[in-house]
Structure formats: C-alpha cells, structure tokens
Amino acid sequence: MQYLVSVIDETAGLATDDEAAAIDVFNDRLKAEGHWVFAGGLGAPDPATVVDSRGGEPIFTDGPFVESKEYLAGFWIIEAPDLDVALKLAAEGSKACNRKIEVRPFLQAPS
C-alpha cells in the first residue's frame, strides 16, 4: 500500500543544514528498506496559482488555495505493508525534518 506523508510547516524557511543531513539519512533508509517511492520539497505557498476549469473557461487565482498558518512544505510517497508501519516511518520522518507530518493512504482503484 502507498501512503502520502505530508510535511507541514509554519514558515517558508528551508531545512537547516542539520535537518537536511537528517532528511538525507532518512531518505537513504527508506530506499534501502524498499519504502521509497518518491519525495519532494515545495516552495512557499505565496506564489501559488489555483486553477479552476469546472465552469468551462479556466479561472486562475493568485495565492494559495486556503489561507492558513500552516502549509504543505514537502512530502514523501512511501510503500508500506500497513498503516502501523507507515506511521512508524512518518514519526521518524517528522524527527528527521523537525516538522509535523500527516499520513494519508492512497485510495485503491477499483478492479
């Protein structure tokens, strides 16, 4: 099963050198143990653009989708046999990046 492990932050600051080193170690472990699928960091939400084409012509709106003190700063997509393993890995990721983490399973497509 795959899980989205979202990194939640309150500032637009990048990881410190120590955090970046700890994240690299964590990423290497995910890869070595077969949990790694993909990961990435995201820029601050201020320059984001929201696109809405539900009404025919697309509408482009500056700024983040929601106004919030916290935002999605990065993510991992991991492979784990169950939620318990995903949560254990997320706890280690939270420690490595020194930020809160949200874990959500990907929906399984119907057969």
Side-chain angles (χ1 to χ4, degrees):
M1 178 133 202
Q2 290 185 342
Y3 295 86
L4 173 63
V5 179
S6 302
V7 178
I8 302 165
D9 201 357
E10 296 176 2
T11 66
L14 297 173
T16 66
D17 290 342
D18 288 343
E19 291 167 346
I23 292 166
D24 287 343
V25 169
F26 179 67
N27 287 344
D28 289 343
R29 178 172 170 231
L30 289 176
K31 291 173 185 174
E33 294 179 5
H35 298 293
W36 177 270
V37 176
F38 182 76
L42 300 172
D46 292 339
T49 302
V50 177
V51 181
D52 185 353
S53 290
R54 294 176 295 170
E57 287 296 315
I59 298 170
F60 301 93
T61 308
D62 290 339
F65 171 65
V66 295
E67 296 295 327
S68 176
K69 290 183 181 180
E70 299 176 325
Y71 65 94
L72 182 63
F75 63 91
W76 285 278
I77 298 174
I78 62 169
E79 189 82 40
D82 56 45
L83 181 59
D84 290 338
V85 172
L87 292 175
K88 181 177 181 284
L89 292 167
E92 294 172 22
S94 174
K95 186 172 185 169
C97 70
N98 194 34
R99 286 161 179 79
K100 292 192 291 187
I101 300 286
E102 177 187 68
V103 178
R104 295 175 66 184
F106 278 95
L107 297 176
Q108 299 298 312
S111 306

